[in-house]
Every structure is written in C-alpha cells, then in structure tokens.
C-alpha cells in the first residue's frame, strides 16, 4: 500500500465566481486538483449521528467537498491522525491513496460531494482497520 501520510491530504481552496444571482465553483481535473476525475458521487439524507467511510483505498485519489452543510473528515495514516472540518462549498480536502477515512458529524441536510480518480472497484477498498494498519507498517 502507498506510503502516504495525513499531511499529504491537503485542503484545496476552490475558485468562486460571485454573481448577484449566486455563486459558481468549478473543479477541473489536472487543473485545480492533481488527478483526472473519472467518477463523481454524493452522499445526502444522512441521518444525524451517522458515520460514513470507515475504509481506505489502495489507488484512489478523492476530493471531498461539503457542497451543502458541514461534516468532519477524520484522516488516519496508521501513525498520525488529522481532523478536517468541511463547511464551505469552495473548499475541499484531497484524500490520497493509503489513508483511512471516516466522515462524521454531518449537519442536517449536508451534501458530501466526492470527485474520484478511478471508477468504483471494490478491490481497491481496505475495509478492515487492523489490516490497514498492518499493511501500512509493511511499507
Ligand atoms: P461505500 O464506499 O462503502 O460508502 P461510504 O464510504 O460512503 O460509507 O459505498 C456504499 C455502497 O455503495 C457500497 O455497497 C458500494 C456502493 N458504491 C458503488 O456501487 N459505487 C460507488 O461509486 C460507490 C462510492 C459506492
């Protein structure tokens, strides 16, 4: 598994074009973010107190954005942990491969937008935390 650290998971400020009729934020693969976007998905209707994520990826890069509302992203590389609060649609956090992530503290009506570098592949997931930690130690 990738020898990545939570410090590689940077906050990405996104551009915002103001207009009296509202704002627009544009994300272009290989421009604002250092990967091509192959897939986009969003989490919504998340019941209060729920946790999402709870896994790591072997190859996948993601940009996670609070398109609406707020939530916390817990990042863990097996040694260091970091918590990022997302609460603005013009900021995201990039999650690199080899990082355990959990999404918690969703506000009511929150929408979690995820831009992903590769198509869905269950083989890219590590869903067992102990396996994750031992695979990180091997590198
Ligand atoms: P999962 O990634 O485990 O959810 P989360 O990390 O948000 O808690 O995915 C939940 C379910 O959706 C799981 O059955 C796999 C399926 N899924 C797809 O089929 N395609 C996708 O692109 C994603 C992200 C999930």
């Amino acid at each position: 598994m990738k020898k990545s650290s939570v410090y590689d998971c940077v906050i990405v400020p996104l551009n915002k074009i103001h207009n009296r009729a509202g704002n627009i934020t544009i994300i272009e693969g290989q421009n604002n973010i250092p990967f091509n976007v192959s897939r986009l998905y969003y989490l919504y209707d998340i019941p209060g107190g729920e946790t999402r994520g709870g896994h790591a990826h072997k190859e996948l890069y993601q940009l996670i954005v609070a398109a609406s509302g707020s939530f916390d992203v817990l990042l863990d590389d097996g040694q260091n942990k970091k918590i990022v609060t997302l609460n603005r649609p013009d900021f995201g956090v990039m999650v690199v491969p080899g990082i355990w992530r959990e999404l918690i503290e969703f506000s009511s009506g929150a929408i979690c937008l995820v831009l992903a570098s590769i198509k869905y592949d269950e083989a890219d997931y590590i869903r067992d935390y102990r396996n994750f930690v031992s695979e990180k130690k091997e590198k």
Side-chain angles (χ1 to χ4, degrees), residues 11-73:
I11 301 280
V12 181
L14 302 167
N15 54 11
K16 176 156 88 172
I17 300 175
H18 291 276
N19 187 304
R20 63 175 175 75
N23 301 322
I24 179 168
T25 289
I26 302 102
I27 305 170
E28 288 184 344
Q30 299 292 11
N31 188 355
N32 325 60
I33 48 174
F35 58 85
N36 281 317
V37 179
S38 295
R39 178 166 54 112
L40 177 157
Y41 62 92
Y42 41 99
L43 309 175
Y44 56 98
D45 289 348
I46 301 144
E50 266 314 326
T51 298
R52 301 295 304 240
H55 59 253
H57 287 279
K58 296 174 191 168
E59 300 293 338
L60 178 75
Y61 286 79
Q62 291 175 313
L63 183 79
I64 304 178
V65 179
S68 186
S70 65
F71 51 86
D72 289 345
V73 184

